[in-house]
Short mmCIF file of all heavy atoms in Angstrom, two decimals:
data_model
loop_
_atom_site.label_atom_id
_atom_site.label_comp_id
_atom_site.label_asym_id
_atom_site.label_seq_id
_atom_site.Cartn_x
_atom_site.Cartn_y
_atom_site.Cartn_z
N MET A 154 -72.55 -45.52 -153.47
CA MET A 154 -71.82 -45.07 -152.30
C MET A 154 -71.25 -46.31 -151.59
O MET A 154 -71.94 -47.31 -151.42
CB MET A 154 -72.77 -44.31 -151.37
CG MET A 154 -72.06 -43.74 -150.16
SD MET A 154 -73.06 -42.63 -149.16
CE MET A 154 -73.13 -41.21 -150.21
N PRO A 155 -70.00 -46.23 -151.15
CA PRO A 155 -69.38 -47.38 -150.45
C PRO A 155 -70.10 -47.69 -149.15
O PRO A 155 -70.75 -46.84 -148.54
CB PRO A 155 -67.96 -46.92 -150.18
CG PRO A 155 -67.72 -45.75 -151.06
CD PRO A 155 -69.06 -45.13 -151.31
N SER A 156 -69.94 -48.92 -148.70
CA SER A 156 -70.52 -49.32 -147.42
C SER A 156 -69.54 -50.24 -146.70
O SER A 156 -68.62 -50.78 -147.31
CB SER A 156 -71.86 -50.02 -147.61
OG SER A 156 -71.69 -51.21 -148.34
N ILE A 157 -69.76 -50.38 -145.40
CA ILE A 157 -68.95 -51.30 -144.60
C ILE A 157 -69.89 -52.16 -143.77
O ILE A 157 -71.02 -51.78 -143.49
CB ILE A 157 -67.93 -50.57 -143.68
CG1 ILE A 157 -68.66 -49.69 -142.67
CG2 ILE A 157 -66.95 -49.78 -144.48
CD1 ILE A 157 -67.74 -49.11 -141.60
N LEU A 158 -69.39 -53.30 -143.35
CA LEU A 158 -70.12 -54.20 -142.48
C LEU A 158 -69.25 -54.44 -141.25
O LEU A 158 -68.09 -54.82 -141.39
CB LEU A 158 -70.40 -55.53 -143.19
CG LEU A 158 -70.99 -56.65 -142.35
CD1 LEU A 158 -72.40 -56.28 -141.90
CD2 LEU A 158 -70.99 -57.94 -143.14
N LEU A 159 -69.79 -54.19 -140.09
CA LEU A 159 -69.04 -54.42 -138.85
C LEU A 159 -69.44 -55.77 -138.29
O LEU A 159 -70.60 -56.00 -137.96
CB LEU A 159 -69.34 -53.32 -137.82
CG LEU A 159 -68.98 -51.90 -138.23
CD1 LEU A 159 -69.44 -50.90 -137.18
CD2 LEU A 159 -67.49 -51.78 -138.47
N LYS A 160 -68.47 -56.65 -138.17
CA LYS A 160 -68.73 -57.99 -137.63
C LYS A 160 -68.24 -58.05 -136.19
O LYS A 160 -67.29 -57.37 -135.81
CB LYS A 160 -68.01 -59.05 -138.46
CG LYS A 160 -68.55 -59.19 -139.86
CD LYS A 160 -67.84 -60.30 -140.58
CE LYS A 160 -68.40 -60.47 -141.97
NZ LYS A 160 -67.78 -61.61 -142.66
N ASN A 161 -68.88 -58.89 -135.41
CA ASN A 161 -68.49 -59.14 -134.02
C ASN A 161 -68.46 -57.87 -133.18
O ASN A 161 -67.56 -57.68 -132.36
CB ASN A 161 -67.14 -59.86 -133.96
CG ASN A 161 -67.16 -61.17 -134.72
OD1 ASN A 161 -68.13 -61.91 -134.63
ND2 ASN A 161 -66.13 -61.43 -135.49
N LEU A 162 -69.41 -57.00 -133.41
CA LEU A 162 -69.51 -55.76 -132.64
C LEU A 162 -69.92 -56.11 -131.21
O LEU A 162 -70.95 -56.76 -131.00
CB LEU A 162 -70.55 -54.84 -133.27
CG LEU A 162 -70.73 -53.46 -132.68
CD1 LEU A 162 -69.45 -52.64 -132.87
CD2 LEU A 162 -71.90 -52.75 -133.33
N PRO A 163 -69.13 -55.72 -130.21
CA PRO A 163 -69.50 -56.04 -128.82
C PRO A 163 -70.87 -55.45 -128.47
O PRO A 163 -71.22 -54.35 -128.93
CB PRO A 163 -68.38 -55.39 -128.00
CG PRO A 163 -67.23 -55.29 -128.94
CD PRO A 163 -67.84 -55.05 -130.30
N GLU A 164 -71.60 -56.17 -127.66
CA GLU A 164 -72.96 -55.76 -127.29
C GLU A 164 -72.98 -54.37 -126.67
O GLU A 164 -73.88 -53.57 -126.96
CB GLU A 164 -73.57 -56.78 -126.32
CG GLU A 164 -74.99 -56.44 -125.88
CD GLU A 164 -75.98 -56.34 -127.03
OE1 GLU A 164 -75.89 -57.14 -127.97
OE2 GLU A 164 -76.86 -55.45 -126.98
N HIS A 165 -72.00 -54.06 -125.80
CA HIS A 165 -72.02 -52.74 -125.15
C HIS A 165 -71.82 -51.61 -126.16
O HIS A 165 -72.38 -50.53 -125.99
CB HIS A 165 -70.98 -52.67 -124.03
CG HIS A 165 -69.56 -52.58 -124.48
ND1 HIS A 165 -68.84 -53.68 -124.90
CD2 HIS A 165 -68.74 -51.52 -124.61
CE1 HIS A 165 -67.63 -53.29 -125.26
NE2 HIS A 165 -67.54 -51.98 -125.09
N LEU A 166 -71.08 -51.85 -127.23
CA LEU A 166 -70.93 -50.83 -128.27
C LEU A 166 -72.22 -50.66 -129.06
O LEU A 166 -72.64 -49.55 -129.37
CB LEU A 166 -69.78 -51.17 -129.21
CG LEU A 166 -68.37 -51.06 -128.64
CD1 LEU A 166 -67.34 -51.44 -129.70
CD2 LEU A 166 -68.11 -49.65 -128.14
N HIS A 167 -72.85 -51.78 -129.38
CA HIS A 167 -74.10 -51.72 -130.11
C HIS A 167 -75.18 -51.00 -129.31
O HIS A 167 -75.85 -50.11 -129.83
CB HIS A 167 -74.57 -53.14 -130.49
CG HIS A 167 -75.83 -53.14 -131.27
ND1 HIS A 167 -77.06 -53.31 -130.68
CD2 HIS A 167 -76.06 -52.95 -132.60
CE1 HIS A 167 -78.00 -53.24 -131.61
NE2 HIS A 167 -77.42 -53.03 -132.79
N SER A 168 -75.32 -51.37 -128.05
CA SER A 168 -76.36 -50.72 -127.24
C SER A 168 -76.04 -49.25 -126.99
O SER A 168 -76.93 -48.40 -126.98
CB SER A 168 -76.57 -51.47 -125.92
OG SER A 168 -75.38 -51.48 -125.16
N GLY A 169 -74.76 -48.92 -126.82
CA GLY A 169 -74.37 -47.52 -126.64
C GLY A 169 -74.63 -46.70 -127.89
O GLY A 169 -75.13 -45.57 -127.82
N LEU A 170 -74.32 -47.27 -129.06
CA LEU A 170 -74.57 -46.57 -130.32
C LEU A 170 -76.07 -46.40 -130.55
O LEU A 170 -76.53 -45.34 -130.98
CB LEU A 170 -73.94 -47.36 -131.48
CG LEU A 170 -74.04 -46.74 -132.85
CD1 LEU A 170 -73.32 -45.40 -132.90
CD2 LEU A 170 -73.46 -47.68 -133.90
N LYS A 171 -76.82 -47.43 -130.20
CA LYS A 171 -78.28 -47.38 -130.37
C LYS A 171 -78.89 -46.29 -129.48
O LYS A 171 -79.73 -45.50 -129.92
CB LYS A 171 -78.87 -48.75 -130.02
CG LYS A 171 -80.31 -48.92 -130.37
CD LYS A 171 -80.74 -50.36 -130.14
CE LYS A 171 -82.18 -50.55 -130.47
NZ LYS A 171 -82.61 -51.93 -130.26
N ALA A 172 -78.42 -46.22 -128.22
CA ALA A 172 -78.93 -45.19 -127.30
C ALA A 172 -78.54 -43.80 -127.78
O ALA A 172 -79.34 -42.86 -127.73
CB ALA A 172 -78.38 -45.45 -125.90
N ARG A 173 -77.31 -43.67 -128.24
CA ARG A 173 -76.84 -42.37 -128.73
C ARG A 173 -77.64 -41.93 -129.97
O ARG A 173 -78.00 -40.77 -130.11
CB ARG A 173 -75.35 -42.47 -129.06
CG ARG A 173 -74.72 -41.19 -129.43
CD ARG A 173 -73.25 -41.40 -129.73
NE ARG A 173 -72.71 -40.17 -130.23
CZ ARG A 173 -71.79 -39.46 -129.62
NH1 ARG A 173 -71.28 -39.88 -128.48
NH2 ARG A 173 -71.35 -38.34 -130.14
N ALA A 174 -77.91 -42.89 -130.86
CA ALA A 174 -78.70 -42.59 -132.05
C ALA A 174 -80.10 -42.11 -131.66
O ALA A 174 -80.61 -41.14 -132.23
CB ALA A 174 -78.79 -43.82 -132.94
N ALA A 175 -80.70 -42.76 -130.69
CA ALA A 175 -82.03 -42.35 -130.24
C ALA A 175 -82.01 -40.94 -129.65
O ALA A 175 -82.91 -40.13 -129.93
CB ALA A 175 -82.56 -43.35 -129.21
N ARG A 176 -80.98 -40.65 -128.83
CA ARG A 176 -80.87 -39.30 -128.25
C ARG A 176 -80.73 -38.23 -129.31
O ARG A 176 -81.20 -37.12 -129.16
CB ARG A 176 -79.67 -39.22 -127.30
CG ARG A 176 -79.88 -39.81 -125.94
CD ARG A 176 -78.78 -39.40 -124.97
NE ARG A 176 -77.43 -39.62 -125.46
CZ ARG A 176 -76.73 -40.75 -125.34
NH1 ARG A 176 -77.29 -41.80 -124.75
NH2 ARG A 176 -75.50 -40.85 -125.80
N ASN A 177 -80.04 -38.58 -130.40
CA ASN A 177 -79.79 -37.61 -131.46
C ASN A 177 -80.80 -37.69 -132.61
O ASN A 177 -80.62 -37.04 -133.65
CB ASN A 177 -78.36 -37.81 -132.02
CG ASN A 177 -77.32 -37.44 -131.01
OD1 ASN A 177 -77.46 -36.46 -130.27
ND2 ASN A 177 -76.25 -38.22 -130.94
N HIS A 178 -81.85 -38.49 -132.41
CA HIS A 178 -82.91 -38.66 -133.42
C HIS A 178 -82.33 -39.07 -134.77
O HIS A 178 -82.67 -38.50 -135.81
CB HIS A 178 -83.74 -37.38 -133.55
CG HIS A 178 -84.27 -36.88 -132.25
ND1 HIS A 178 -85.30 -37.51 -131.57
CD2 HIS A 178 -83.89 -35.84 -131.46
CE1 HIS A 178 -85.53 -36.87 -130.45
NE2 HIS A 178 -84.69 -35.85 -130.35
N ARG A 179 -81.44 -40.06 -134.73
CA ARG A 179 -80.81 -40.57 -135.94
C ARG A 179 -80.98 -42.08 -135.99
O ARG A 179 -81.18 -42.74 -134.98
CB ARG A 179 -79.31 -40.29 -135.96
CG ARG A 179 -78.92 -38.85 -136.05
CD ARG A 179 -77.40 -38.75 -136.09
NE ARG A 179 -76.96 -37.38 -136.13
CZ ARG A 179 -75.95 -36.89 -135.44
NH1 ARG A 179 -75.23 -37.67 -134.65
NH2 ARG A 179 -75.61 -35.63 -135.53
N SER A 180 -80.81 -42.62 -137.19
CA SER A 180 -80.76 -44.07 -137.32
C SER A 180 -79.41 -44.54 -136.82
O SER A 180 -78.47 -43.74 -136.65
CB SER A 180 -80.94 -44.47 -138.79
OG SER A 180 -79.79 -44.06 -139.54
N LEU A 181 -79.30 -45.82 -136.59
CA LEU A 181 -78.03 -46.41 -136.17
C LEU A 181 -76.94 -46.11 -137.20
O LEU A 181 -75.81 -45.73 -136.87
CB LEU A 181 -78.21 -47.92 -136.01
CG LEU A 181 -77.41 -48.66 -134.99
CD1 LEU A 181 -77.53 -48.06 -133.62
CD2 LEU A 181 -77.84 -50.11 -134.96
N ASN A 182 -77.28 -46.26 -138.47
CA ASN A 182 -76.34 -46.01 -139.55
C ASN A 182 -75.89 -44.54 -139.57
O ASN A 182 -74.70 -44.25 -139.67
CB ASN A 182 -77.00 -46.38 -140.89
CG ASN A 182 -76.02 -46.31 -142.02
OD1 ASN A 182 -75.07 -47.08 -142.06
ND2 ASN A 182 -76.24 -45.40 -142.95
N LYS A 183 -76.84 -43.61 -139.48
CA LYS A 183 -76.50 -42.18 -139.51
C LYS A 183 -75.65 -41.80 -138.30
O LYS A 183 -74.75 -40.96 -138.41
CB LYS A 183 -77.76 -41.33 -139.56
CG LYS A 183 -78.56 -41.51 -140.81
CD LYS A 183 -78.39 -40.35 -141.72
CE LYS A 183 -79.33 -40.55 -142.90
NZ LYS A 183 -78.89 -39.89 -144.07
N GLU A 184 -75.92 -42.40 -137.15
CA GLU A 184 -75.13 -42.10 -135.95
C GLU A 184 -73.70 -42.60 -136.11
O GLU A 184 -72.74 -41.90 -135.78
CB GLU A 184 -75.76 -42.72 -134.71
CG GLU A 184 -75.11 -42.30 -133.42
CD GLU A 184 -75.26 -40.82 -133.11
OE1 GLU A 184 -76.23 -40.18 -133.58
OE2 GLU A 184 -74.40 -40.27 -132.38
N ALA A 185 -73.55 -43.80 -136.67
CA ALA A 185 -72.21 -44.34 -136.91
C ALA A 185 -71.44 -43.45 -137.89
O ALA A 185 -70.25 -43.15 -137.68
CB ALA A 185 -72.30 -45.76 -137.44
N ILE A 186 -72.11 -42.98 -138.93
CA ILE A 186 -71.46 -42.08 -139.90
C ILE A 186 -71.06 -40.78 -139.23
O ILE A 186 -69.95 -40.27 -139.44
CB ILE A 186 -72.38 -41.84 -141.12
CG1 ILE A 186 -72.49 -43.12 -141.94
CG2 ILE A 186 -71.87 -40.67 -141.96
CD1 ILE A 186 -73.54 -43.07 -143.04
N ALA A 187 -71.94 -40.22 -138.39
CA ALA A 187 -71.63 -38.97 -137.70
C ALA A 187 -70.41 -39.13 -136.79
O ALA A 187 -69.54 -38.25 -136.74
CB ALA A 187 -72.83 -38.50 -136.88
N LEU A 188 -70.34 -40.25 -136.09
CA LEU A 188 -69.19 -40.51 -135.22
C LEU A 188 -67.90 -40.68 -136.02
O LEU A 188 -66.84 -40.17 -135.64
CB LEU A 188 -69.44 -41.73 -134.35
CG LEU A 188 -70.46 -41.53 -133.23
CD1 LEU A 188 -70.82 -42.86 -132.58
CD2 LEU A 188 -69.93 -40.57 -132.20
N LEU A 189 -67.98 -41.40 -137.12
CA LEU A 189 -66.80 -41.59 -137.97
C LEU A 189 -66.35 -40.25 -138.56
O LEU A 189 -65.15 -39.96 -138.60
CB LEU A 189 -67.09 -42.59 -139.08
CG LEU A 189 -67.20 -44.04 -138.64
CD1 LEU A 189 -67.74 -44.91 -139.78
CD2 LEU A 189 -65.86 -44.56 -138.17
N GLU A 190 -67.29 -39.43 -139.01
CA GLU A 190 -66.93 -38.11 -139.55
C GLU A 190 -66.24 -37.26 -138.50
O GLU A 190 -65.23 -36.60 -138.77
CB GLU A 190 -68.17 -37.39 -140.07
CG GLU A 190 -68.67 -37.92 -141.39
CD GLU A 190 -69.95 -37.26 -141.85
OE1 GLU A 190 -70.69 -36.69 -141.02
OE2 GLU A 190 -70.23 -37.32 -143.07
N ALA A 191 -66.77 -37.27 -137.28
CA ALA A 191 -66.17 -36.48 -136.20
C ALA A 191 -64.77 -36.99 -135.86
O ALA A 191 -63.85 -36.19 -135.62
CB ALA A 191 -67.07 -36.52 -134.96
N ALA A 192 -64.60 -38.29 -135.85
CA ALA A 192 -63.29 -38.86 -135.52
C ALA A 192 -62.25 -38.52 -136.59
O ALA A 192 -61.10 -38.19 -136.28
CB ALA A 192 -63.41 -40.37 -135.36
N ILE A 193 -62.66 -38.57 -137.83
CA ILE A 193 -61.72 -38.29 -138.92
C ILE A 193 -61.42 -36.80 -139.01
O ILE A 193 -60.30 -36.40 -139.32
CB ILE A 193 -62.26 -38.86 -140.25
CG1 ILE A 193 -62.20 -40.38 -140.18
CG2 ILE A 193 -61.49 -38.32 -141.44
CD1 ILE A 193 -62.87 -41.09 -141.31
N ALA A 194 -62.40 -35.97 -138.70
CA ALA A 194 -62.20 -34.52 -138.78
C ALA A 194 -61.37 -33.99 -137.61
O ALA A 194 -60.75 -32.93 -137.73
CB ALA A 194 -63.56 -33.81 -138.80
N ALA A 195 -61.34 -34.72 -136.50
CA ALA A 195 -60.59 -34.27 -135.32
C ALA A 195 -59.09 -34.26 -135.65
O ALA A 195 -58.59 -35.17 -136.31
CB ALA A 195 -60.85 -35.19 -134.13
N PRO A 196 -58.40 -33.23 -135.19
CA PRO A 196 -56.96 -33.20 -135.47
C PRO A 196 -56.26 -34.36 -134.77
O PRO A 196 -56.59 -34.73 -133.64
CB PRO A 196 -56.51 -31.86 -134.88
CG PRO A 196 -57.57 -31.46 -133.92
CD PRO A 196 -58.84 -32.11 -134.38
N ALA A 197 -55.32 -34.94 -135.47
CA ALA A 197 -54.54 -36.05 -134.90
C ALA A 197 -53.65 -35.52 -133.79
O ALA A 197 -53.12 -34.41 -133.88
CB ALA A 197 -53.72 -36.72 -135.98
N ALA A 198 -53.49 -36.31 -132.77
CA ALA A 198 -52.61 -35.91 -131.67
C ALA A 198 -51.18 -35.89 -132.17
O ALA A 198 -50.72 -36.82 -132.83
CB ALA A 198 -52.76 -36.89 -130.52
N ASP A 199 -50.48 -34.82 -131.85
CA ASP A 199 -49.07 -34.71 -132.22
C ASP A 199 -48.25 -35.21 -131.04
O ASP A 199 -47.86 -34.46 -130.17
CB ASP A 199 -48.73 -33.26 -132.56
CG ASP A 199 -47.32 -33.11 -133.08
OD1 ASP A 199 -46.57 -34.10 -133.09
OD2 ASP A 199 -46.96 -31.99 -133.48
N THR A 200 -48.01 -36.52 -131.03
CA THR A 200 -47.32 -37.12 -129.88
C THR A 200 -45.88 -36.67 -129.78
O THR A 200 -45.36 -36.53 -128.67
CB THR A 200 -47.39 -38.66 -129.94
OG1 THR A 200 -46.89 -39.09 -131.20
CG2 THR A 200 -48.82 -39.15 -129.76
N ASP A 201 -45.24 -36.42 -130.91
CA ASP A 201 -43.85 -35.96 -130.85
C ASP A 201 -43.77 -34.61 -130.16
O ASP A 201 -42.89 -34.39 -129.32
CB ASP A 201 -43.24 -35.86 -132.25
CG ASP A 201 -43.00 -37.22 -132.88
OD1 ASP A 201 -42.92 -38.21 -132.12
OD2 ASP A 201 -42.89 -37.29 -134.11
N ASP A 202 -44.68 -33.70 -130.49
CA ASP A 202 -44.69 -32.38 -129.87
C ASP A 202 -45.01 -32.50 -128.38
O ASP A 202 -44.39 -31.83 -127.55
CB ASP A 202 -45.70 -31.47 -130.57
CG ASP A 202 -45.70 -30.07 -129.99
OD1 ASP A 202 -44.61 -29.46 -129.89
OD2 ASP A 202 -46.79 -29.59 -129.62
N ALA A 203 -45.98 -33.34 -128.04
CA ALA A 203 -46.35 -33.51 -126.64
C ALA A 203 -45.19 -34.08 -125.83
O ALA A 203 -44.91 -33.63 -124.71
CB ALA A 203 -47.57 -34.42 -126.52
N LEU A 204 -44.49 -35.05 -126.39
CA LEU A 204 -43.33 -35.62 -125.69
C LEU A 204 -42.22 -34.60 -125.53
O LEU A 204 -41.58 -34.52 -124.48
CB LEU A 204 -42.80 -36.85 -126.43
CG LEU A 204 -43.59 -38.14 -126.22
CD1 LEU A 204 -43.06 -39.23 -127.13
CD2 LEU A 204 -43.54 -38.58 -124.78
N ALA A 205 -41.99 -33.80 -126.56
CA ALA A 205 -40.96 -32.76 -126.48
C ALA A 205 -41.29 -31.76 -125.37
O ALA A 205 -40.41 -31.38 -124.58
CB ALA A 205 -40.82 -32.04 -127.82
N ARG A 206 -42.55 -31.36 -125.27
CA ARG A 206 -42.96 -30.43 -124.21
C ARG A 206 -42.83 -31.07 -122.84
O ARG A 206 -42.42 -30.42 -121.87
CB ARG A 206 -44.39 -29.94 -124.44
CG ARG A 206 -44.47 -28.94 -125.59
CD ARG A 206 -45.86 -28.42 -125.79
NE ARG A 206 -46.66 -29.56 -126.25
CZ ARG A 206 -47.96 -29.68 -126.05
NH1 ARG A 206 -48.63 -28.78 -125.41
NH2 ARG A 206 -48.60 -30.74 -126.49
N LEU A 207 -43.15 -32.36 -122.75
CA LEU A 207 -43.03 -33.07 -121.49
C LEU A 207 -41.57 -33.15 -121.04
O LEU A 207 -41.25 -32.91 -119.87
CB LEU A 207 -43.63 -34.47 -121.62
CG LEU A 207 -43.68 -35.32 -120.37
CD1 LEU A 207 -44.53 -34.66 -119.30
CD2 LEU A 207 -44.24 -36.70 -120.69
N PHE A 208 -40.68 -33.49 -121.96
CA PHE A 208 -39.26 -33.56 -121.62
C PHE A 208 -38.71 -32.19 -121.22
O PHE A 208 -37.92 -32.07 -120.29
CB PHE A 208 -38.44 -34.14 -122.78
CG PHE A 208 -38.60 -35.63 -122.92
CD1 PHE A 208 -38.94 -36.18 -124.15
CD2 PHE A 208 -38.42 -36.48 -121.85
CE1 PHE A 208 -39.08 -37.54 -124.29
CE2 PHE A 208 -38.56 -37.86 -121.98
CZ PHE A 208 -38.90 -38.38 -123.21
N THR A 209 -39.15 -31.14 -121.91
CA THR A 209 -38.72 -29.79 -121.58
C THR A 209 -39.18 -29.42 -120.17
O THR A 209 -38.40 -28.88 -119.37
CB THR A 209 -39.28 -28.77 -122.59
OG1 THR A 209 -38.79 -29.12 -123.88
CG2 THR A 209 -38.88 -27.36 -122.25
N ALA A 210 -40.41 -29.75 -119.85
CA ALA A 210 -40.92 -29.47 -118.50
C ALA A 210 -40.17 -30.29 -117.46
O ALA A 210 -39.85 -29.78 -116.38
CB ALA A 210 -42.42 -29.77 -118.44
N GLY A 211 -39.87 -31.55 -117.78
CA GLY A 211 -39.12 -32.39 -116.84
C GLY A 211 -37.72 -31.85 -116.60
O GLY A 211 -37.24 -31.84 -115.47
N ASP A 212 -37.08 -31.40 -117.67
CA ASP A 212 -35.74 -30.81 -117.53
C ASP A 212 -35.78 -29.57 -116.66
O ASP A 212 -34.93 -29.36 -115.79
CB ASP A 212 -35.14 -30.47 -118.90
CG ASP A 212 -34.77 -31.71 -119.70
OD1 ASP A 212 -34.64 -32.80 -119.10
OD2 ASP A 212 -34.60 -31.57 -120.93
N ALA A 213 -36.77 -28.73 -116.88
CA ALA A 213 -36.90 -27.50 -116.08
C ALA A 213 -37.14 -27.84 -114.62
O ALA A 213 -36.58 -27.22 -113.71
CB ALA A 213 -38.04 -26.64 -116.62
N LEU A 214 -37.96 -28.84 -114.37
CA LEU A 214 -38.25 -29.25 -113.00
C LEU A 214 -37.01 -29.86 -112.35
O LEU A 214 -36.73 -29.63 -111.17
CB LEU A 214 -39.42 -30.24 -112.99
CG LEU A 214 -40.04 -30.56 -111.64
CD1 LEU A 214 -40.52 -29.29 -110.95
CD2 LEU A 214 -41.20 -31.52 -111.82
N ALA A 215 -36.25 -30.62 -113.12
CA ALA A 215 -35.04 -31.24 -112.58
C ALA A 215 -34.03 -30.19 -112.13
O ALA A 215 -33.32 -30.39 -111.14
CB ALA A 215 -34.41 -32.16 -113.63
N ARG A 216 -33.99 -29.06 -112.82
CA ARG A 216 -33.06 -27.99 -112.45
C ARG A 216 -33.44 -27.34 -111.12
O ARG A 216 -32.64 -26.65 -110.53
CB ARG A 216 -32.99 -26.94 -113.56
CG ARG A 216 -32.20 -27.42 -114.77
CD ARG A 216 -31.91 -26.29 -115.74
NE ARG A 216 -33.11 -25.74 -116.36
CZ ARG A 216 -33.70 -26.22 -117.46
NH1 ARG A 216 -33.19 -27.26 -118.07
NH2 ARG A 216 -34.77 -25.65 -117.95
N THR A 217 -34.67 -27.57 -110.65
CA THR A 217 -35.09 -26.99 -109.37
C THR A 217 -34.65 -27.86 -108.19
O THR A 217 -34.84 -27.48 -107.04
CB THR A 217 -36.62 -26.81 -109.30
OG1 THR A 217 -37.24 -28.09 -109.31
CG2 THR A 217 -37.12 -25.95 -110.43
N GLY A 218 -34.10 -29.05 -108.48
CA GLY A 218 -33.62 -29.93 -107.42
C GLY A 218 -34.63 -30.94 -106.93
O GLY A 218 -34.45 -31.53 -105.87
N VAL A 219 -35.68 -31.16 -107.67
CA VAL A 219 -36.70 -32.14 -107.28
C VAL A 219 -36.09 -33.54 -107.33
O VAL A 219 -35.39 -33.90 -108.27
CB VAL A 219 -37.92 -32.07 -108.23
CG1 VAL A 219 -38.87 -33.22 -107.98
CG2 VAL A 219 -38.63 -30.75 -108.06
N ASP A 220 -36.33 -34.33 -106.28
CA ASP A 220 -35.87 -35.72 -106.23
C ASP A 220 -36.96 -36.59 -106.84
O ASP A 220 -37.94 -36.95 -106.20
CB ASP A 220 -35.60 -36.13 -104.77
CG ASP A 220 -35.08 -37.54 -104.65
OD1 ASP A 220 -35.05 -38.28 -105.66
OD2 ASP A 220 -34.70 -37.91 -103.52
N PHE A 221 -36.79 -36.89 -108.15
CA PHE A 221 -37.82 -37.63 -108.86
C PHE A 221 -38.06 -39.02 -108.29
O PHE A 221 -39.18 -39.50 -108.26
CB PHE A 221 -37.46 -37.74 -110.35
CG PHE A 221 -37.68 -36.47 -111.13
CD1 PHE A 221 -36.62 -35.80 -111.67
CD2 PHE A 221 -38.95 -35.97 -111.31
CE1 PHE A 221 -36.81 -34.63 -112.40
CE2 PHE A 221 -39.17 -34.81 -112.02
CZ PHE A 221 -38.09 -34.14 -112.56
N GLU A 222 -37.02 -39.69 -107.86
CA GLU A 222 -37.18 -41.04 -107.33
C GLU A 222 -38.02 -41.02 -106.05
O GLU A 222 -38.91 -41.84 -105.86
CB GLU A 222 -35.83 -41.69 -107.08
CG GLU A 222 -35.12 -42.04 -108.37
CD GLU A 222 -33.80 -42.76 -108.13
OE1 GLU A 222 -33.66 -43.43 -107.09
OE2 GLU A 222 -32.94 -42.66 -109.01
N ALA A 223 -37.78 -40.06 -105.17
CA ALA A 223 -38.56 -39.94 -103.94
C ALA A 223 -40.01 -39.57 -104.27
O ALA A 223 -40.96 -40.11 -103.69
CB ALA A 223 -37.95 -38.90 -103.02
N TRP A 224 -40.17 -38.67 -105.24
CA TRP A 224 -41.52 -38.26 -105.63
C TRP A 224 -42.29 -39.44 -106.22
O TRP A 224 -43.46 -39.65 -105.90
CB TRP A 224 -41.43 -37.12 -106.65
CG TRP A 224 -42.75 -36.70 -107.18
CD1 TRP A 224 -43.66 -35.88 -106.61
CD2 TRP A 224 -43.33 -37.14 -108.42
NE1 TRP A 224 -44.77 -35.77 -107.41
CE2 TRP A 224 -44.59 -36.53 -108.53
CE3 TRP A 224 -42.90 -37.98 -109.44
CZ2 TRP A 224 -45.42 -36.73 -109.62
CZ3 TRP A 224 -43.73 -38.18 -110.53
CH2 TRP A 224 -44.98 -37.55 -110.61
N ALA A 225 -41.63 -40.23 -107.07
CA ALA A 225 -42.28 -41.38 -107.69
C ALA A 225 -42.66 -42.41 -106.63
O ALA A 225 -43.75 -42.97 -106.66
CB ALA A 225 -41.37 -42.00 -108.74
N ALA A 226 -41.76 -42.65 -105.68
CA ALA A 226 -42.04 -43.62 -104.61
C ALA A 226 -43.24 -43.16 -103.78
O ALA A 226 -44.12 -43.94 -103.45
CB ALA A 226 -40.82 -43.80 -103.73
N GLN A 227 -43.27 -41.88 -103.47
CA GLN A 227 -44.37 -41.33 -102.67
C GLN A 227 -45.68 -41.43 -103.46
O GLN A 227 -46.73 -41.78 -102.91
CB GLN A 227 -44.10 -39.88 -102.31
CG GLN A 227 -45.17 -39.26 -101.45
CD GLN A 227 -44.87 -37.80 -101.15
OE1 GLN A 227 -43.99 -37.19 -101.75
NE2 GLN A 227 -45.61 -37.24 -100.22
N SER A 228 -45.63 -41.15 -104.74
CA SER A 228 -46.83 -41.22 -105.57
C SER A 228 -47.35 -42.65 -105.66
O SER A 228 -48.56 -42.87 -105.62
CB SER A 228 -46.53 -40.70 -106.98
OG SER A 228 -46.20 -39.34 -106.93
N ARG A 229 -46.45 -43.61 -105.78
CA ARG A 229 -46.87 -45.02 -105.83
C ARG A 229 -47.54 -45.42 -104.53
O ARG A 229 -48.53 -46.13 -104.51
CB ARG A 229 -45.68 -45.92 -106.12
CG ARG A 229 -45.30 -46.02 -107.57
CD ARG A 229 -44.31 -47.14 -107.79
NE ARG A 229 -43.08 -46.95 -107.06
CZ ARG A 229 -42.01 -46.28 -107.53
NH1 ARG A 229 -42.06 -45.74 -108.71
NH2 ARG A 229 -40.93 -46.15 -106.80
N ASP A 230 -46.98 -44.96 -103.40
CA ASP A 230 -47.54 -45.34 -102.10
C ASP A 230 -48.96 -44.81 -101.92
O ASP A 230 -49.76 -45.43 -101.24
CB ASP A 230 -46.64 -44.82 -100.97
CG ASP A 230 -45.30 -45.55 -100.93
OD1 ASP A 230 -45.20 -46.64 -101.53
OD2 ASP A 230 -44.36 -45.02 -100.31
N VAL A 231 -49.26 -43.68 -102.50
CA VAL A 231 -50.59 -43.09 -102.37
C VAL A 231 -51.64 -44.01 -102.98
O VAL A 231 -52.75 -44.12 -102.46
CB VAL A 231 -50.63 -41.70 -103.05
CG1 VAL A 231 -52.05 -41.19 -103.18
CG2 VAL A 231 -49.78 -40.71 -102.27
N TRP A 232 -51.30 -44.70 -104.07
CA TRP A 232 -52.27 -45.51 -104.79
C TRP A 232 -52.31 -46.95 -104.35
O TRP A 232 -53.05 -47.76 -104.89
CB TRP A 232 -51.99 -45.44 -106.30
CG TRP A 232 -52.21 -44.06 -106.81
CD1 TRP A 232 -51.26 -43.15 -107.10
CD2 TRP A 232 -53.45 -43.42 -107.03
NE1 TRP A 232 -51.83 -41.97 -107.50
CE2 TRP A 232 -53.19 -42.11 -107.46
CE3 TRP A 232 -54.78 -43.81 -106.89
CZ2 TRP A 232 -54.19 -41.21 -107.77
CZ3 TRP A 232 -55.78 -42.91 -107.21
CH2 TRP A 232 -55.48 -41.62 -107.63
N ARG A 233 -51.54 -47.30 -103.34
CA ARG A 233 -51.57 -48.70 -102.86
C ARG A 233 -52.67 -48.92 -101.89
O ARG A 233 -53.20 -48.18 -101.23
CB ARG A 233 -50.23 -49.05 -102.22
CG ARG A 233 -49.19 -49.22 -103.27
CD ARG A 233 -47.91 -49.69 -102.68
NE ARG A 233 -46.93 -49.72 -103.78
CZ ARG A 233 -45.67 -49.99 -103.59
NH1 ARG A 233 -45.22 -50.25 -102.40
NH2 ARG A 233 -44.86 -50.00 -104.59
#
């Protein structure tokens, strides 16, 4: 069976993986495999579709007369 070696793994990732493995009653290796399997099995994000929906929503909103520049300026001021 193939294997991999992870070099220069940041301490916070190692300790997080170790804690997660303990919670799930798995070895470090089995926990890493479970996480990799879940990541690969997860559907890939369809960014093209998401962008198309975002542009469609923006176009619809623009037709309502929203002043995007004023809205953006107001939104920036909130976070300052």
